């Protein structure tokens, strides 16, 4: 059974930064693209970002371009999301998901952007 | 950006009923790049179908996906209590990937 576990969420002030991590039991990790998806209170799912298995291809939703950076460490089977210039509207539970079609999901980590 | 529209917004069904959920795209979507998810409160979303028609591991055969181009459908037959919740479609063929707004299926 694939296990994905997110961490790094928390309370941050507007304009602040957070780095989310997603550790994985996926093997071989480098064979799979990975995604970040978020669910804001009272809203629907939003795709945030994706990265190819090798890490050479990165993709972003327009609302995070220039603020968020996705990366991965294949040797440690870990996915990252560096989030800068956070806004109140970034408040959400952030999930990591395996494969281009989001085959498996983690349990999510909450991010609250508030003063 | 490809915009996905789902209809209906809400569907009320009795157990044993049949649900037909629509996902319409603003531009053509590759049939290899359309997926459906089920989400229940307090849980992580779960993949049901990818590549328009391919059931994920563990997805019962009462779930079926069809469609092409800009029109896609998820059909659920013999609804069970655990099937209620919100269903989302996703296109992952062209960046940025996009979800539909969801169809909420509740118990009548």
């Amino acid at each position: 059974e694939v296990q994905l576990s997110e961490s790094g969420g928390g309370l941050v002030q507007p304009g602040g930064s957070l780095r989310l991590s997603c550790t994985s039991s996926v093997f071989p990790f480098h064979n799979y693209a990975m995604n970040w998806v978020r669910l804001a209170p009272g809203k629907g799912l939003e795709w945030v970002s994706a990265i190819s298995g090798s890490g050479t291809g990165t993709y972003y939703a327009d609302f995070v371009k220039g603020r968020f950076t996705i990366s991965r460490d294949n040797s440690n089977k870990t996915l990252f999301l560096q989030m800068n210039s956070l806004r109140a509207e970034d408040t959400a539970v952030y999930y990591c998901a395996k494969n281009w079609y989001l085959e498996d999901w983690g349990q999510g980590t909450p991010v609250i952007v508030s003063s | 950006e490809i915009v996905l529209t789902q209809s209906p917004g809400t569907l009320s069904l009795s157990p044993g009923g049949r649900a037909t959920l629509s996902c319409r795209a603003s531009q053509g979507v590759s049939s290899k790049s359309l997926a459906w998810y089920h989400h229940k409160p307090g849980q992580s979303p779960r993949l049901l179908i990818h590549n328009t028609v391919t059931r994920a591991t563990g997805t019962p055969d009462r779930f079926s996906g069809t469609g092409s181009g800009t029109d896609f459908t998820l059909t659920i037959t013999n609804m069970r209590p655990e099937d209620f919740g919100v269903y989302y479609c996703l296109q992952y063929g062209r960046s940025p990937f996009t979800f539909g707004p969801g169809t909420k299926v509740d118990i009548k």
Side-chain angles (χ1 to χ4, degrees):
Chain A
E1 180 184 346
V2 172
Q3 291 192 337
L4 299 167
S5 180
E6 303 91 340
S7 62
L11 175 64
V12 62
Q13 292 188 338
S17 298
L18 279 177
R19 190 192 197 202
L20 305 185
S21 299
C22 169
T23 58
S24 169
S25 67
V26 172
F27 181 82
F29 184 66
H30 62 269
N31 275 9
Y32 296 96
M34 296 292 293
N35 291 263
W36 289 100
V37 176
R38 70 186 187 185
L39 181 65
K43 295 196 173 183
L45 295 174
E46 275 191 313
W47 177 81
V48 174
S49 184
I51 187 168
S52 62
S54 65
T56 56
T58 57
Y59 310 89
Y60 297 95
D62 290 345
F63 55 80
V64 302
K65 271 183 184 174
R67 300 190 299 126
F68 292 9
T69 302
I70 192 170
S71 61
R72 64 191 297 159
D73 177 350
N74 284 344
S75 60
N76 288 303
K77 296 195 287 186
T78 303
L79 174 72
F80 301 102
L81 185 68
Q82 177 67 43
M83 305 189 296
N84 298 331
S85 303
L86 283 162
R87 307 166 180 166
E89 54 265 36
D90 295 318
T91 294
V93 175
Y94 285 73
Y95 298 93
C96 62
K98 170 197 166 192
N99 218 333
W100 293 114
Y101 52 87
L102 286 62
E103 180 177 11
D104 296 289
W105 298 60
Q107 84 289 348
T109 186
V111 171
I112 301 171
V113 184
S114 175
S115 55
Chain B
E1 173 176 317
I2 297 176
V3 176
L4 300 182
T5 304
Q6 291 187 242
S7 61
T10 303
L11 191 57
S12 295
L13 289 170
S14 301
R18 176 189 180 100
T20 302
L21 284 63
S22 172
C23 176
R24 182 161 291 177
S26 61
Q27 305 171 40
V29 173
S30 165
S31 59
K32 294 184 179 180
S33 305
L34 195 287
W36 291 91
Y37 304 85
H38 180 212
H39 186 224
K40 295 195 283 190
Q43 298 184 14
S44 300
R46 182 171 70 92
L47 173 70
L48 294 172
I49 286 175
H50 63 99
N51 293 2
T52 300
V53 299
T54 304
R55 292 186 196 90
T57 302
T59 299
D61 60 8
R62 63 178 183 276
F63 292 86
S64 61
T66 58
S68 64
T70 59
D71 290 296
F72 298 86
T73 300
L74 175 69
T75 301
I76 313 168
T77 57
N78 189 23
M79 288 285 294
R80 299 183 58 160
E82 60 266 31
D83 297 338
F84 295 94
V86 183
Y87 289 82
Y88 297 92
C89 55
L90 167 78
Q91 71 80 20
Y92 52 97
R94 187 183 304 176
S95 181
F97 300 171
T98 45
F99 283 98
T103 290
K104 183 179 181 181
V105 179
D106 59 23
I107 299 174
K108 191 172 184 179

